[in-house]
Amino acid sequence: MRMSVIGCGYLGAVHAAAMASIGHDVIGIDVDERKVAALNAGSAPFFEPQLTELLTEGRESGRLRFSDRMADAAGAQVHFLAVGTPQIPGGHAADLRYVDAAIDGLLPHLRPGDVIAGKSTVPVGTAARLATRVADSGATVVWNPEFLREGWAVHDTLTPDRLVVGAEPDAAGERGVAVLREVYAAAVEAGTPFLVTDLATAELVKGAANAFLATKISFINAMAEIAEASGADVALLADALGHDSRIGRRYLGAGIGFGGGCLPKDIRAFAARAEELGRGEAVGFLHEVDAINLRRRERAVQLVVDALGGLVFGRRIAVLGAAFKPFSDDIRDSPGLDVAVRLRGLGADVVVTDPAALDNAAAAHPQLGYARDRNDALREADAVVIVTEWDEYRRDLSPAHAGGLVRGRIIIDGRNCLDAAAWRAAGWQYHGMGRR
Ligand code: UDX
């Protein structure tokens, strides 16, 4: 099927490449000329496992092209909207300017029967508004939220755990759903649940899923606070809770909390939209979820300060990790970088290292020190803080090796990802988050 993907960021570039890999003829559109040039050259503009391979394959097959001209989207049967919806400056709501700009650009090129499939995370009610905007063109709006995780984006796009398509309950909506069923035929045939809803429910599924995940993480981080006050161990607690199949162990990883381009801004936008709808109190708990999350960063800083005897001024601190999570170079709202920035603000000599996100971090926070080599970051450090659980730190860093490089054997495990006993046995003072 001929399709366009408008917006080629973390979501759109992966979607475009994945759709081409399953046989569709795809044009990706983005306003950023440099990004378009990189994608056309088969080079991923950000770190995402398997994306380069798919871009190269798409280029060689001739089924995947990128352009900065919206006119090149003309003739596609489906237009996927994958532009960003960041937090508005100075507020909590979602900024829909890129969504509206995409529709403005697309309008002159739409033909009757075209399907616009929204993938961007939007406040409930947006799809219906966009449907009104494009009504005269004869195009149909459906909503097809995306649940991919960065670092697993290719995997999650090609083998999603469910597909959700929201549409108006009329003939045009039914046709839109049928077109999307055809787009995802391979996954549907492989048994992926395909849920058809109204527009509002489809938009809400995404907001609700992210709100639930954020709540689960903050729940266990709230338990970490109680564990800290009572001498319990939150990691053992999470294991015990996780065996209850109604609860499950995933997303019960206590630590410095969630970050990234989605969960933090999405729960704020969700709460802001609920307030607009006069139902703010229904999701009032999301403010608490946000507050718990932010308190964990402060807690990590406090652990470092306490471990260094109350003063970090002039002390050298190695921060292992900058990306908001492993297998990503994304530093948007990275809890780990926030911890690094706060420590620097207290006068510490902070050296950050990360296998993928160092350039992004250095561009955003030039006041921090950086080392490309993990060993250089560790050398002469008075304390070490792990903020992103990359395999390079979690699995491959031995306490004996690190102990030979640092000045002080103090480690703060911001992700509870290390074997505490092994580090203690090697003479380290180990501090986890909510752990004994
Ligand atoms: C998330 C959702 O998972 C995805 O479905 C949605 O489409 C976009 O938002 P992503 O932002 O890529 O995806 O990351 P995710 O793997 O969910 O992690 C989010 C944050 O939560 C990371 O900072 C991670 O470190 C943190 N996290 C995750 C925890 O602190 N504890 C956990 O147990 C799990």
Side-chain angles (χ1 to χ4, degrees):
M1 191 181 293
R2 245 182 106 183
M3 57 181 65
S4 78
V5 178
I6 302 169
C8 294
Y10 287 94
L11 162 59
V14 174
H15 190 67
M19 291 299 104
S21 82
I22 56 170
H24 298 301
D25 181 6
V26 186
I27 175 90
I29 309 281
D30 200 285
V31 290
D32 183 339
E33 280 172 44
R34 280 177 42 208
K35 194 185 280 176
V36 166
L39 288 164
N40 272 327
S43 143
F46 47 83
F47 179 91
E48 185 63 50
Q50 298 177 49
L51 179 56
T52 308
E53 290 86 331
L54 285 198
L55 290 171
T56 310
E57 188 189 300
R59 199 169 72 130
E60 284 166 3
S61 69
R63 285 197 305 269
L64 178 63
R65 289 162 304 119
F66 295 90
S67 165
D68 59 0
R69 295 174 57 243
M70 193 64 98
D72 289 333
Q77 197 177 341
V78 190
H79 305 278
F80 284 102
L81 274 189
V83 293
T85 52
Q87 198 170 323
I88 49 164
H92 279 180
D95 186 344
L96 294 176
R97 81 175 76 170
Y98 304 111
V99 172
D100 280 301
I103 293 293
D104 289 340
L106 199 53
L107 261 175
H109 308 293
L110 289 173
R111 300 164 312 177
D114 279 4
V115 175
I116 300 173
K119 294 198 84 64
S120 307
T121 301
V122 292
V124 59
T126 306
R129 181 172 70 74
L130 298 182
T132 311
R133 287 200 57 199
V134 305
D136 288 347
S137 70
T140 306
V141 172
V142 299
W143 218 258
N144 171 219
E146 180 57 61
F147 305 102
L148 64 79
R149 297 158 298 166
E150 286 177 33
W152 297 88
V154 171
H155 169 273
D156 289 353
T157 306
L158 290 174
T159 50
D161 44 20
R162 80 290 212 189
L163 289 157
V164 176
V165 180
E168 299 277 22
D170 55 19
E174 271 174 33
R175 216 185 58 78
V177 171
V179 168
L180 278 241
R181 207 185 285 275
E182 202 182 323
V183 167
Y184 297 119
V188 174
E189 272 160 33
T192 308
F194 187 91
L195 291 100
V196 178
T197 70
D198 51 90
L199 288 174
T201 303
E203 294 169 305
L204 213 49
V205 172
K206 177 60 193 258
N210 278 351
F212 189 87
L213 294 172
T215 303
K216 198 169 178 189
I217 298 169
S218 276
F219 175 82
I220 201 65
N221 278 329
M223 295 305 107
E225 291 190 30
I226 305 296
E228 275 151 15
S230 59
D233 187 314
V234 76
L236 297 176
L237 175 71
D239 288 343
L241 290 175
H243 284 296
D244 184 329
S245 59
R246 294 167 303 174
I247 299 175
R249 181 65 174 83
R250 294 177 73 192
Y251 280 81
L252 282 185
I256 56 171
F258 59 81
C262 291
L263 295 191
K265 70 139 175 102
D266 286 352
I267 60 165
R268 291 171 197 150
F270 198 62
R273 183 64 183 136
E275 269 151 39
E276 281 171 14
L277 292 169
R279 293 290 188 278
E281 62 193 15
V283 291
F285 65 93
L286 289 179
H287 298 295
E288 209 50 57
V289 165
D290 205 1
I292 292 165
N293 192 50
L294 295 176
R295 276 206 299 274
R296 296 320 283 163
R297 304 173 183 192
E298 199 46 59
R299 170 69 185 164
V301 170
Q302 197 57 49
L303 280 175
V304 180
V305 173
D306 290 348
L308 286 172
L311 200 63
V312 294
F313 190 88
R315 309 297 293 279
R316 187 174 162 97
I317 298 167
V319 175
L320 305 186
F324 83 102
K325 65 183 234 182
F327 304 109
S328 172
D329 64 355
D330 195 350
I331 58 152
R332 287 177 294 171
D333 208 340
S334 163
L337 262 186
D338 194 16
V339 168
V341 166
R342 288 171 194 230
L343 287 167
R344 177 74 197 113
L346 296 174
D349 171 15
V350 175
V351 185
V352 179
T353 186
D354 188 283
L358 213 59
D359 294 337
N360 287 343
H365 301 287
Q367 77 275 29
L368 302 176
Y370 293 96
R372 216 158 276 283
D373 186 325
R374 184 193 69 191
N375 290 351
D376 291 339
L378 290 169
R379 206 161 276 123
E380 299 300 317
D382 294 302
V384 180
V385 193
I386 296 208
V387 295
T388 316
E389 67 277 32
W390 285 100
D391 287 345
E392 284 85 338
Y393 316 138
R394 182 183 63 82
R395 187 192 62 195
D396 303 340
L397 182 61
S398 88
H401 173 77
L405 294 167
V406 298
R407 187 156 46 211
R409 293 190 178 197
I410 295 172
I411 188 145
I412 285 78
D413 183 1
R415 292 296 183 180
N416 289 344
C417 61
L418 300 177
D419 178 350
W423 284 75
R424 287 193 176 120
W428 285 77
Q429 203 188 107
Y430 171 94
H431 301 276
M433 304 286 297
R435 304 185 76 180
R436 287 173 76 88

